Each structure stands twice: as structure tokens, then as C-alpha cells.
Amino acid sequence: MKIAILGHGTVGQGVSEIINDAPAGKGTAQIDIAYVWVRPEKAHERPYYTANYQEILEDPTVDVIVEVLGGLEPARTMILAALEHGKHVVTANKAVVARYLVLFNQMAEKHRVKFYFESSVGGGIPWIINLERALRIDEVDSIHGIFNGTSNFILDQMTKTGASFEDVLKEAQDLGYAEADPSADIDGFDIENKLCISADIAYNTVIEPGDQLLKFGIRNITAADIAFFKEHNWVVKLLGRSLRKEDTYSFIIEPTLYLPGEIEAGVHDNYNYVGLRGTTIGKLSFNGQGAGKLPTAHALMQDLLDLQQGANHLYQDFDQKLVLDNRRSIRNYVIRTTLDLRQSFADYDLQQNGPYWLVADINAEDLHRKIAELIQQDEHIFFACLNRRAQAIL
Amino acid sequence: MKIAILGHGTVGQGVSEIINDAPAGKGTAQIDIAYVWVRPEKAHERPYYTANYQEILEDPTVDVIVEVLGGLEPARTMILAALEHGKHVVTANKAVVARYLVLFNQMAEKHRVKFYFESSVGGGIPWIINLERALRIDEVDSIHGIFNGTSNFILDQMTKTGASFEDVLKEAQDLGYAEADPSADIDGFDIENKLCISADIAYNTVIEPGDQLLKFGIRNITAADIAFFKEHNWVVKLLGRSLRKEDTYSFIIEPTLYLPGEIEAGVHDNYNYVGLRGTTIGKLSFNGQGAGKLPTAHALMQDLLDLQQGANHLYQDFDQKLVLDNRRSIRNYVIRTTLDLRQSFADYDLQQNGPYWLVADINAEDLHRKIAELIQQDEHIFFACLNRRAQAIL
């Protein structure tokens, strides 16, 4: 099987490495890299580099396009062109999959090729394939977990060392875990894409990324917050969760507090922990490397081997009509702010302890809407949801 | 696709339930139960029950035999007969798979049918399929985890409530988690079978269950032990682990102590937590329902759907020759005994605190061998291994 790789950054190089180092007995040894497409200014760097995509598209010996450019364009256009030219596409690009999953699937079906994207969620974790396999038998009504390794690394390091957010972010950037512009990782956009893709599959529907989905990241967390949480025996994690109930679904990304004995609290470093709940399988979760060169490349290789072996993934038409409703999720929240919250939360049970407030039994929609107002007056405001087992005493 | 189920206990009834309740769109709706084989004295109980296995074997419309009898015989003979009659076999029976995996595979290959056994390890967790998928790309050199839900339930309940082993075992039996004869679950034999199957696949070898494999269960644990562990901030779990290094492998089943912030310590109730380490995928672990009617039946259904869809599992010949060596695993151990251990462990750093002793840096082979001697004098002796992060101070 011949492939062309679009982009040769970290993950693209990981794919090359796995293929070049493949032991003789493995299926990976039967995959050849025919081309690596790069931007014109880089095309001279290696003999198999090319900037001429048309040449790749028109080469009938190329079976699969592996897209690891990231971002919406030119990834979207190049994926569509590949499918139109009758080539399978495998991608690690969560942004473009979250937005165009249905379009890509329709185009793939029309041209009788496959569009696979295992590596777009959960890095090395075989998440998409197992979600799809569970759906062969079950209805899946819940998707939840720690979908972003960079923010987990930051929170874990802050908890272990007591260091500031800024210092740990800098460390994450030095280690290559975080980008120069860290917004996607720390503000929840990366999780949003991954949770959209997962929920699309789980519910056989289309959820568009956008402001209607509740997102609050960890940009504002301080060493003092971590110390306060520790005093209360809480461990903070950035959680994404979605629950379907009848024709509605919730979609919430927010810092969440666990007890040390809860499994999420044991997810350290840059690991991911992602899970589903199905009718007969019950709760099933995966803990593994959610990013990184070789784990992500491993997941891409899994898609390539499925193509090589003709193993079909689940077919879905994504035609379920569901309504977003975040009012059904009612929890306790801890808010840290310089503001006086008594007026804003007059309708709720409130506890105060210095700059920390505990709001009892508020639905996620109302809580996030109020925070969006309050952040206009206190741009450093931070909050976290208490997971059910965590005791609600400030 | 037509199937015949051998045995109609909990798991067999779970398979019937999933098939009978299948939503119209699912592949499970296209599976028909043609026969359920039961013992002669039960054959009159339902119209589709039969005690005549020959009739099933000779019915050309039966594609798959689903074996959920448990135990070595008549399961082994009936599986072999099914394969010889050109029928695929799917089984949940870890005991028979651990002993005859290679024989069954050879027989299946000879008769051009498949032998699948997803549900034999990890219940509803898609463990075998993902281990096999990882092996399409990686070498896997480590298998480890909490493979038995019943013993995890017992340890977790003892930790939560402070109750005695005997009381919690009784509760587990009342809940249907533990058998009347609980030995397989509490003495490590169930884990031994599951770890044998997993390591066979991981290392492409044959590991026979037997006394050469180190096993120590939880039969002797007391409420006082749990209290002592709590004082030291340790959480006890019954762990199975195997590590391959060059041509050797270790195979150890023993109580193991974790810190509360380690992920294994967050595995509660009757959940399993099983993991592997691969060359490029890194560490990957699964948390889910390791037993129970519907989760186990779900895993059986996954095998049936793979047969229905012609999705082939990994082919292996199990011909790697490896040598068992448990001396490479060197850890700290806590032993509780009425005996004076100074002579037995004269060559090791020892700490004592009442009936508890800490032996430093001892290899697993020597430790288990010494315990096997000491248990002749103190039949209630108990020990646990300290996981690497747990502090070695009594």
C-alpha cells in the first residue's frame, strides 16, 4: 500500500519513523511512503519531498493520503481533493474533522473510499474504533473524560510542585507539550473538537463547535487556587462531558474537582482518560498517551492497517436530531473572585470563604452564563465544578 | 448468522437478552439463536433447549458455537468437536483458553474456521482485540493490572467499611460476585488464567498455568491489615503483572500497595483495570466492568459481529521460546506474621512494627519461595508488594 503524507511535522515524522523501523513480520512493513507534501519553501530539503499536490493526486499508485497539517485550510481543501480523486484519507486533524466530518464521510462514500480519523481524538488511545465497536451493540449515552494532555500536565505539575500557572505553562512549552499560542489547549477548544467528534459518533448526530457549547478553561487558575483545593482534599482536572437523554444532550467543558481516591484524580502528567457509557458494556474508560509523536502516529497506522486489511469501520449517517440542553446538569461549583457574589447568585445557597464561594445546585447553563457576565468585571475569575463525590463544604 | 449457545447460566442468558432486545439497526439483530445446549435434566425447561450436541454439530445452518459452560470439561471436548465440524467457536471460558489456546487455534486453522475469546479476559473491556491491534504495529513487553473484579470488590469494601474479609466475602457471594467456592477469585487462579492468555498473545508464546507462576491471593487479609495500610497511606489491590525482557519474562500475582493518588488506587467496586506497554503506543490501560452478565455477553457479541462481518483477528503462531525469570523483579514487601523473620530474611534490610515487617529490595521469586516455607508455620501469614511510588517506611 502506498501513501502520501501531507505535512512533515512531529506526527508526520512519527509515521515515517514507524514505517521505516517496522519489524519484518508486521503489516506496517508493507506500507510505502511515496510522497511527503510540504510547502514550496521546504520542498528541496529531502529527496521525497514535493510541493506539487496535483502530481500526488494524479499518481494512480497512491492509495491513501495521510493528512497531518492541522488547522482548517488547506487541510479541508486537500482532503476533499483526495477523496474526489478516489484516494482514502486518514487524518489526525481534530479541527477539520470536528467541522467537516459529515461532508468528508459523504464525499468518501460517493467516491467509494474511506475517511478514517482515529488519531484525531485521544492520541494513541484506540478511542474512535472502540466507541464505534461499542455502538455495534449498544446505545452510548455518555462521553466524558480528560481529553487534553497539555492542560492535564499543567494542572498535575501545579498540584505536585505548587508552581504558578505561568511557570508550568512555560515548562510545558519548553517540553514541546504546549504551543507558542497555548489557547487551544488551555481554553478548551481542543477538547471541544474532540468531544464534538466523539459525541457525533456516539449519538449519530452533528454537533457544530461554537459558543453555544459550554467551555471554561484553566487560563485563570493560580497556585493559590491549587493550594485551596488541596486543603479541601480536591484534585482539579479539566473535564469534558456530554450526556444524552431522550432528544437532548449536554456539552460541558470545565475544571472539575475530584477526591484523591477517584480514578480521574490518578491521571497524571500528559495522559488522557476518556470514557463512554453504553447499554450493556456499562462504563468503559481508556487511559493512555493522548498526544505525542509516536502514540499519535501509532493511531494513524491503525487506520492505515485497517485500510490495508479491508476492515470496515462503523457506517453512520449522522442524522439524529438532538437539542442542546445544559440545564439538566445540576452541580455544586466553587468560584474564586474579587467580586461579591451575593446579588448574582441570590437564588442559590451560597457559602463564602475569603475569595472563594460555593454555589449549590446550579445548572451548568446558568452558571456559565453568569460567569460570562462576571468576567467583564473580574477578568481573573476562576471556577470549578464539584464532581458528585466531592464534599460541598468550603 | 445462526448460533448455538452451550450453557445457559448468567452469561449465556446475557447473550440471549442482547440478541432478543437488539434495536433493528444493529448487527446484533441479524444473529439468531438456533439452539441452547444444556444438560439432559434441564432440556425440558424451554422449547429451544436441547441436550443433543450431535444434532447441533450436524446442523449445517449453525455457523457459530458460543461456549459459556466454564471449566475444562466438557468445554474442551465440545469446542474441539465444533471446530472439527467446521463451526466457528466463541468462548468466555478463561480456564479452557489458558490451557488449550494453541490447540484450539491450530484446530481452527486446520478446519478454516475462527476461534475467538474476547470475553475470557476483562469481561466487557475490549482487551484482547486492542492488545492484538497494538501488536499489529508494536512489540508489547508488559501486561499488568487488576484482572479480577471479585477480589477488587472485596478489597475495596474492606477499605471503605473496615469490615472483615469473611463478612465482605459473604456480601460478595450474596451479590452474586463470588462463587460458593471463592478460591478461583481470591487465590489468584482466575487472574493466572487471564494473565496467561494475555501474555501468550503479547509475547506470541505459550505460558502454561501452574505452580511455577508466582501467585499469592487475598484469603489471609484482615481488617487489621487494611487499617495498618491506611495508616501508612497505602491502598491494597490484587495485581497481576508480567514483563518481558529479551528472552525472559516475569509472571507475578500478588497484593500490591499503592498511594491514593495512583490510578490503580482509584479502581473501585468490581471494576477491572488492565494495561499494556507497547513500543510506540506507550502505556495504554482500560477500566471497565470485568465481569457480569451483560458486559461479558457484550464482549461475546463483539466476537460474533467480527465473524459476521469477516473481520479477522491477529494471526499468531505462539512459537516464541521464553524463559520464566521472576528474579528480575525487585521490590519492597510488607509481611504480616506471628513469626520472627530475622533469620529467614537475614540477608535483607528489615524493619519491624509489631507483626508487620518490611523487607527491602527482594526479588519476587525469593520472596514467594520464603513465604511458601513460612506459611507452613503461620498459616495466616499475609504480604503485599510496595508499588514503586509507595514509601517504604513501616
Side-chain angles (χ1 to χ4, degrees):
Chain A
M1 193 169 73
K2 284 200 175 180
I3 69 170
I5 305 175
L6 310 187
H8 218 219
T10 307
V11 176
Q13 290 176 33
V15 170
S16 297
E17 199 174 312
I18 291 179
I19 291 173
N20 294 334
D21 297 350
K26 305 280 184 193
T28 38
Q30 280 125 48
I31 295 174
D32 291 322
I33 303 170
Y35 302 89
V36 174
W37 181 88
V38 293
R39 310 213 174 232
E41 61 273 22
K42 298 207 161 196
H44 66 281
E45 286 182 9
R46 300 195 195 182
Y48 50 90
Y49 276 10
T50 176
N52 184 348
Y53 191 40
Q54 205 56 36
E55 176 191 14
I56 297 173
L57 292 174
E58 287 169 9
D59 182 340
T61 71
V62 171
D63 305 293
V64 190
I65 302 293
V66 176
E67 187 271 308
V68 285
L69 296 163
L72 294 182
E73 286 294 354
R76 175 183 163 279
T77 303
M78 294 179 86
I79 289 171
L80 287 173
L83 297 170
E84 282 162 5
H85 281 77
K87 304 200 184 293
H88 305 297
V89 172
V90 169
T91 179
N93 182 339
K94 63 216 81 166
V96 84
V97 177
R99 274 197 195 267
Y100 303 111
L101 173 56
V102 177
L103 174 64
F104 293 150
N105 263 336
Q106 287 170 344
M107 195 63 79
E109 203 185 343
K110 183 173 163 192
H111 295 279
R112 295 163 192 263
V113 288
K114 303 293 180 187
F115 174 73
Y116 290 165
F117 47 93
E118 177 61 71
S119 52
S120 67
V121 184
I125 295 172
W127 169 242
I128 301 291
I129 186 80
N130 284 294
L131 175 56
E132 290 183 341
R133 284 175 67 89
L135 287 163
R136 302 197 298 183
I137 299 166
D138 282 2
E139 304 294 332
V140 170
D141 75 342
S142 172
I143 298 287
H144 50 269
I146 298 165
F147 283 87
N148 181 272
T150 305
S151 54
N152 199 60
F153 174 82
I154 292 172
L155 294 176
D156 192 46
Q157 281 298 106
M158 288 180 72
T159 302
K160 282 174 179 159
T161 68
S164 72
F165 176 80
E166 292 72 19
D167 286 352
V168 177
L169 173 60
K170 173 89 175 43
E171 186 189 349
Q173 286 167 328
D174 292 346
L175 285 166
Y177 291 167
E179 312 270 333
D181 174 1
S183 176
D185 288 322
I186 67 174
D187 294 329
F189 297 107
D190 175 81
I191 302 176
E192 180 184 32
N193 286 329
K194 292 167 173 173
L195 196 54
C196 277
I197 296 169
S198 305
D200 283 354
I201 296 170
Y203 313 152
N204 191 29
T205 192
V206 180
I207 300 173
E208 298 269 353
D211 287 341
Q212 79 288 2
L213 306 174
L214 301 184
K215 284 180 292 291
F216 193 85
I218 59 166
R219 182 183 286 273
N220 280 358
I221 197 168
T222 65
D225 295 336
I226 297 277
F228 184 79
F229 296 155
K230 265 196 187 167
E231 268 171 43
H232 288 75
N233 209 25
W234 294 326
V235 179
V236 63
K237 296 287 170 188
L238 184 52
L239 208 85
R241 59 188 165 98
S242 173
L243 188 68
R244 191 193 53 196
K245 197 164 182 183
E246 292 142 17
D247 293 336
T248 71
Y249 71 98
S250 61
F251 192 109
I252 302 161
I253 297 161
E254 62 193 10
T256 303
L257 299 170
Y258 292 89
L259 295 179
E262 292 185 274
I263 201 163
E264 286 85 352
V267 178
H268 296 290
D269 305 321
N270 59 340
Y271 276 75
N272 281 21
Y273 183 74
V274 295
L276 61 84
R277 185 176 65 190
T279 333
T280 67
I281 201 170
K283 278 187 182 176
L284 174 67
S285 302
F286 303 77
N287 179 228
Q289 290 281 335
K293 181 181 182 176
L294 292 177
T296 308
H298 178 107
L300 276 165
M301 298 305 304
Q302 292 289 1
D303 280 344
L304 290 174
L305 291 172
D306 282 352
L307 288 170
Q308 189 190 49
Q309 297 171 9
N312 288 328
H313 292 191
L314 186 71
Y315 173 78
Q316 291 186 296
D317 49 17
F318 302 99
D319 67 347
Q320 285 295 307
K321 299 277 174 274
L322 300 178
V323 178
L324 179 66
D325 179 2
N326 285 313
R327 291 177 196 280
R328 278 190 165 163
S329 173
I330 295 169
R331 301 275 184 100
N332 300 313
Y333 285 81
V334 176
I335 304 170
R336 189 257 305 137
T337 179
T338 52
L339 304 171
D340 185 332
L341 296 186
R342 279 173 292 182
Q343 206 182 330
S344 301
F345 292 92
D347 299 340
Y348 299 90
D349 272 350
L350 265 186
Q351 295 176 40
Q352 187 190 357
N353 181 346
Y356 295 95
W357 301 75
L358 194 142
V359 187
D361 297 328
I362 183 167
N363 75 61
E365 183 73 30
D366 286 352
L367 187 281
H368 279 251
R369 194 162 40 76
K370 281 177 192 287
I371 295 289
E373 288 163 21
L374 294 167
I375 207 166
Q376 306 300 323
Q377 300 161 60
D378 175 8
E379 63 173 336
H380 300 295
I381 196 169
F382 183 74
F383 77 86
C385 172
L386 265 73
N387 195 43
R388 289 205 183 78
R389 289 193 190 188
Q391 252 201 313
I393 297 173
L394 271 200
Chain B
M1 192 169 74
K2 284 198 175 183
I3 69 170
I5 305 175
L6 310 186
H8 218 220
T10 307
V11 176
Q13 289 177 34
V15 171
S16 297
E17 200 174 310
I18 291 179
I19 291 173
N20 294 334
D21 296 350
K26 305 280 184 192
T28 38
Q30 280 125 49
I31 296 174
D32 292 322
I33 303 170
Y35 303 90
V36 173
W37 181 87
V38 294
R39 307 204 180 242
E41 62 272 22
K42 298 208 161 195
H44 67 280
E45 287 181 9
R46 299 196 194 179
Y48 50 90
Y49 276 11
T50 176
N52 184 347
Y53 191 41
Q54 205 57 35
E55 177 192 12
I56 298 173
L57 292 174
E58 286 169 10
D59 183 338
T61 71
V62 172
D63 306 292
V64 190
I65 302 294
V66 175
E67 187 271 307
V68 285
L69 296 162
L72 294 182
E73 285 294 354
R76 174 184 164 278
T77 304
M78 295 179 85
I79 289 171
L80 287 173
L83 296 170
E84 282 162 5
H85 281 77
K87 303 200 184 295
H88 305 296
V89 172
V90 169
T91 179
N93 182 339
K94 63 216 80 165
V96 85
V97 177
R99 268 188 204 273
Y100 302 111
L101 173 56
V102 176
L103 173 64
F104 293 151
N105 262 336
Q106 286 170 344
M107 196 62 78
E109 203 186 343
K110 183 173 165 193
H111 295 279
R112 294 164 194 264
V113 289
K114 304 292 180 187
F115 175 73
Y116 291 165
F117 48 92
E118 177 61 69
S119 52
S120 67
V121 184
I125 294 172
W127 168 243
I128 302 290
I129 185 80
N130 284 294
L131 174 56
E132 290 183 342
R133 284 176 67 88
L135 287 164
R136 300 197 300 182
I137 299 166
D138 281 2
E139 304 294 332
V140 170
D141 75 342
S142 172
I143 299 286
H144 50 268
I146 298 165
F147 283 87
N148 181 272
T150 304
S151 54
N152 199 60
F153 174 84
I154 292 172
L155 294 175
D156 192 46
Q157 281 297 108
M158 289 179 73
T159 302
K160 282 175 179 159
T161 67
S164 72
F165 176 80
E166 291 71 20
D167 286 350
V168 177
L169 173 60
K170 173 88 176 43
E171 185 189 348
Q173 286 167 328
D174 292 345
L175 285 167
Y177 291 168
E179 312 270 334
D181 174 2
S183 176
D185 289 321
I186 67 174
D187 295 328
F189 297 107
D190 175 81
I191 302 176
E192 180 183 32
N193 286 329
K194 293 166 173 173
L195 195 54
C196 278
I197 295 169
S198 306
D200 283 355
I201 295 170
Y203 314 151
N204 190 30
T205 192
V206 180
I207 300 173
E208 298 269 352
D211 287 342
Q212 78 288 2
L213 306 175
L214 301 184
K215 284 180 292 293
F216 193 84
I218 59 167
R219 181 182 288 272
N220 280 358
I221 196 167
T222 65
D225 294 336
I226 297 277
F228 183 79
F229 296 156
K230 264 194 188 172
E231 270 172 42
H232 288 75
N233 208 25
W234 294 324
V235 179
V236 64
K237 296 288 169 187
L238 184 52
L239 208 86
R241 59 188 165 98
S242 173
L243 187 68
R244 190 193 54 195
K245 197 166 182 185
E246 293 144 16
D247 293 336
T248 72
Y249 70 98
S250 61
F251 191 109
I252 302 161
I253 296 162
E254 63 193 10
T256 303
L257 300 170
Y258 292 89
L259 296 179
E262 293 186 274
I263 201 162
E264 286 85 351
V267 179
H268 296 289
D269 305 321
N270 60 340
Y271 276 76
N272 281 20
Y273 183 74
V274 296
L276 60 86
R277 186 176 64 190
T279 334
T280 67
I281 201 170
K283 279 187 183 175
L284 173 67
S285 302
F286 303 77
N287 178 229
Q289 290 282 334
K293 182 180 181 176
L294 291 177
T296 308
H298 178 107
L300 276 165
M301 297 306 304
Q302 292 289 0
D303 281 344
L304 290 174
L305 290 172
D306 282 352
L307 288 171
Q308 187 190 49
Q309 297 170 10
N312 288 329
H313 292 190
L314 186 72
Y315 172 78
Q316 293 186 294
D317 49 17
F318 302 100
D319 67 347
Q320 286 295 307
K321 300 275 174 274
L322 300 178
V323 178
L324 179 66
D325 179 1
N326 284 314
R327 291 177 197 280
R328 279 190 164 163
S329 172
I330 295 170
R331 301 274 184 102
N332 300 313
Y333 284 81
V334 176
I335 304 170
R336 189 259 304 138
T337 179
T338 53
L339 305 171
D340 184 332
L341 296 186
R342 278 174 293 183
Q343 205 181 333
S344 300
F345 293 93
D347 299 339
Y348 299 89
D349 272 348
L350 265 186
Q351 295 176 41
Q352 187 189 358
N353 180 346
Y356 295 94
W357 301 73
L358 195 143
V359 188
D361 297 328
I362 183 168
N363 75 61
E365 183 72 32
D366 286 352
L367 187 280
H368 279 251
R369 194 162 40 75
K370 281 176 192 288
I371 296 288
E373 288 164 21
L374 295 166
I375 206 167
Q376 306 301 324
Q377 300 161 62
D378 175 9
E379 62 174 336
H380 301 296
I381 195 169
F382 183 74
F383 77 86
C385 172
L386 265 71
N387 195 44
R388 291 206 182 78
R389 290 192 190 188
Q391 251 202 314
I393 296 173
L394 271 198

